[in-house]
Amino acid sequence: MHIAIIGTGYVGLVTGACFAEFGVNVTCVDKDESKIKKLQEGIPTIYEPGLEVLLSKGRREGRLSFTTNLKEAVQKSLVIFIAVGTPPRETGAADLSQVEEVAAEIGKYLNGYKVVVTKSTVPAGTGALVKRIISENCSEEFRFSVASNPEFLREGAAIEDFMHPDRIVIGCGDPEGVAIMKDLYSPLYLIDIPFVITSVETAELIKYASNAFLATKISFINEIAMLCDRVGCDVYDVARAMGLDKRIGPEFLHPGPGYGGSCFPKDTRALVHLAANYECDLKIVKAVTEVNDRQRDLMLEKVKQMLGEPVGKTVAVLGLAFKPNTDDIRESPAIYIVRKLVDLGVKVRASDPASIDEAKKLFPEVDFCTDAYETAQGADLLVFLTEWNQYRKLDLEKLKSVMAQPAIADLRNIYDPNLIRKSGFKYVGVGRTCSF
Ligand code: UGA
């Protein structure tokens, strides 16, 4: 089978590389010539563990190619995935202009039956829009199916998630399209991954509902952490005991500076907006976004309280990405907090194993360092903002010896508070027996 993936961002590139690994012939398309040139030369355009190996294997074995020529890719493919961006508009609604543009081009170049699949996260009803646009742009009467096949890939673990998903959701109104999609995913069907076959609109909503629910868990535990701080309890124990209840589960109950990234912040807002169009007031999801915004400011308050008068102080920030194992800083709470600290007149030193190049573009005034100890040099406070593994077992004595003051704000709860305090540090965590 030959397929085309339009859009070589995080989702498109991972999807293309993984399908090629399954033995499918994949053409990845992007209008960004510099991106395509890099990919043709075997240079990955994003940081994603395991991706480089799959890209070079797919290219070497002739199953994975990159092009800016959408027409050619569409015409030789049976299945065409739309994996372009759906960024938020001012209103919170998803901006579908890239999806619409691609759908029009697909329509123009249709030369036979195809399945056109949206991978991009799109509001319920977009499949119908894609169908209309293709029909309007198609000069001859070619048949095509429209499907929705949302992705549930976590950045940093995207290859693993693609190869071993919890479920595959296929939204498609006609049996031919469903059969082709099932065939495409047969390597996963054969290892007993559950398939949910549904209408296009339902599949589209499943994606938003899943992300909104995960975001709800995070905001919920962040609120409980705030209460723990006030009452003097340990949220670690609260979350652990809650998570042992199988109905609740332990995942996504880690308090921190709030969720970030390219998905949760935008998708929760888009869902609220979509619901409002249907005169539904999604009170819970709205509150989830509000709690998340407040969480960043609550964390900033913790830092400020630890620091005292900010002007002239030095803060060492460890971690800038919105989570570990990615170079992605989009909507990262770390970026928000660094910006506020810089504005307060604090001297910021920062490091991150993967995202420094991007962060440098935002903060010319920040001193970027290569490792934790260099970052901590002369600092009045060390702040953990991303839970990278390499920050989990630092030499506390060495840190203390290079810092101006021994003080740690562990905003990802990666250390045992007692251990830190015993080592002579002033400490604050998130919901870990502290009275701020
Ligand atoms: C998320 C979903 O997990 C994927 O299933 C989905 O496909 C993807 O969005 C998407 O819509 O494309 P991702 O944004 O890569 O994936 O990252 P997550 O691992 O879900 O983390 C999101 C944010 O929540 C991060 O900022 C993370 O630090 C935060 N988080 C997560 C917490 O603060 N606490 C937790 O317990 C878990």
Side-chain angles (χ1 to χ4, degrees):
M1 193 191 290
H2 206 124
I3 68 168
I5 315 262
I6 304 174
T8 57
Y10 280 92
V11 172
L13 201 51
V14 169
T15 304
C18 290
F19 273 128
E21 177 68 8
F22 283 170
V24 177
N25 292 307
V26 183
T27 309
C28 291
V29 187
D30 206 295
K31 59 181 181 187
D32 183 336
E33 282 179 21
S34 64
K35 240 186 200 180
I36 290 298
K37 194 161 171 285
K38 274 191 185 157
L39 291 166
Q40 283 169 339
E41 287 164 6
I43 306 165
T45 43
I46 55 164
Y47 173 81
E48 184 62 41
L51 182 63
E52 194 166 358
V53 177
L54 288 194
L55 290 180
S56 62
K57 193 170 165 212
R59 282 175 55 244
R60 202 176 49 241
E61 294 175 5
R63 288 191 305 275
L64 183 59
S65 62
F66 301 94
T67 182
T68 51
N69 191 335
L70 189 137
K71 179 180 177 187
E72 219 173 80
V74 164
Q75 296 197 334
K76 67 180 174 191
S77 298
L78 175 61
V79 180
I80 301 150
F81 283 93
I82 303 177
V84 293
T86 52
R89 289 188 190 279
E90 277 285 297
T91 56
D95 178 351
L96 296 177
S97 54
Q98 295 180 53
V99 174
E100 291 167 7
E101 203 180 301
V102 168
E105 292 208 62
I106 294 172
K108 222 162 50 191
Y109 301 135
L110 226 52
N111 61 342
Y113 174 78
K114 320 258 172 209
V115 187
V116 180
V117 189
T118 41
K119 254 284 173 221
S120 308
T121 301
V122 291
T126 306
L129 175 71
V130 166
K131 192 170 190 170
R132 208 183 64 227
I133 296 176
I134 295 177
S135 301
E136 283 169 4
N137 284 275
C138 182
S139 54
E140 289 179 63
E141 277 293 298
F142 291 117
R143 278 186 323 113
F144 63 94
S145 302
V146 165
S148 162
N149 171 223
E151 51 82 22
F152 302 100
L153 311 173
R154 290 162 302 164
E155 285 180 27
I159 310 278
E160 168 63 22
D161 285 352
F162 192 97
M163 298 294 179
H164 300 100
D166 291 334
R167 76 299 208 189
I168 295 292
V169 174
I170 297 171
C172 187
D174 65 85
E176 194 174 1
V178 172
I180 290 169
M181 290 300 286
K182 274 175 125 177
D183 184 35
L184 182 60
Y185 276 108
S186 57
L188 297 178
Y189 197 66
L190 294 172
I191 57 167
D192 283 337
I193 302 296
F195 277 51
V196 180
I197 311 292
T198 175
S199 72
V200 175
E201 290 77 12
T202 306
E204 289 166 338
L205 194 56
I206 286 170
K207 167 65 191 228
Y208 278 111
S210 302
N211 273 3
F213 189 79
L214 292 170
T216 304
K217 284 187 92 173
I218 300 169
S219 278
F220 182 87
I221 201 64
N222 281 338
E223 274 208 320
I224 297 295
M226 177 181 73
L227 184 60
C228 285
D229 274 338
R230 305 275 159 90
V231 178
C233 313
D234 192 334
V235 74
Y236 178 84
D237 294 331
V238 175
R240 179 153 185 270
M242 281 173 65
L244 286 168
D245 183 329
K246 290 190 188 65
R247 294 167 303 174
I248 298 174
E251 309 282 343
F252 279 71
L253 287 182
H254 305 290
Y259 57 77
S262 62
C263 304
F264 288 173
K266 129 176 122 64
D267 293 350
T268 42
R269 291 203 161 83
L271 183 57
V272 168
H273 195 273
L274 171 76
N277 288 343
Y278 291 88
E279 282 165 25
C280 284
D281 185 13
L282 292 193
K283 289 179 192 291
I284 294 178
V285 188
K286 256 194 212 162
V288 165
T289 63
E290 284 163 19
V291 168
N292 198 57
D293 292 343
R294 181 181 65 184
Q295 190 67 8
R296 294 173 179 205
D297 288 319
L298 285 176
M299 296 302 109
L300 185 67
E301 274 315 304
K302 279 179 188 282
V303 171
K304 278 161 67 180
Q305 291 206 32
M306 289 282 273
L307 212 51
E309 168 54 44
V311 179
K313 294 275 174 56
T314 301
V315 168
V317 169
L318 292 185
L320 295 163
F322 81 98
K323 64 172 192 175
N325 299 324
T326 176
D327 60 351
D328 199 342
I329 55 170
R330 283 177 289 178
E331 299 258 359
S332 171
I335 298 298
Y336 177 85
I337 289 170
V338 169
R339 165 63 55 220
K340 294 280 180 190
L341 290 176
V342 168
D343 291 348
L344 284 168
V346 172
K347 194 167 167 327
V348 178
R349 298 168 67 76
S351 61
D352 184 282
S355 66
I356 284 188
D357 288 348
E358 282 307 304
K360 270 185 184 161
K361 295 179 196 159
L362 298 178
F363 299 114
E365 57 282 82
V366 167
D367 286 332
F368 290 96
C369 308
T370 48
D371 71 15
Y373 304 103
E374 188 199 342
T375 314
Q377 200 83 42
D380 299 285
L381 175 66
L382 181 68
V383 185
F384 288 100
L385 276 167
T386 316
E387 68 278 35
W388 285 93
N389 274 342
Q390 42 271 71
Y391 300 152
R392 288 180 184 275
K393 214 160 177 4
L394 295 173
D395 180 338
L396 295 177
E397 283 309 313
K398 190 169 166 190
L399 275 182
K400 205 159 63 177
S401 71
V402 299
M403 290 179 70
Q405 318 266 355
I408 288 180
D410 181 3
L411 303 184
R412 289 286 183 176
N413 286 353
I414 53 183
Y415 279 90
D416 175 352
N418 294 326
L419 178 85
I420 302 261
R421 289 197 184 106
K422 241 192 254 157
S423 307
F425 283 88
K426 213 170 128 197
Y427 162 88
V428 68
V430 190
R432 306 212 68 184
T433 334
C434 110
S435 51
F436 285 156

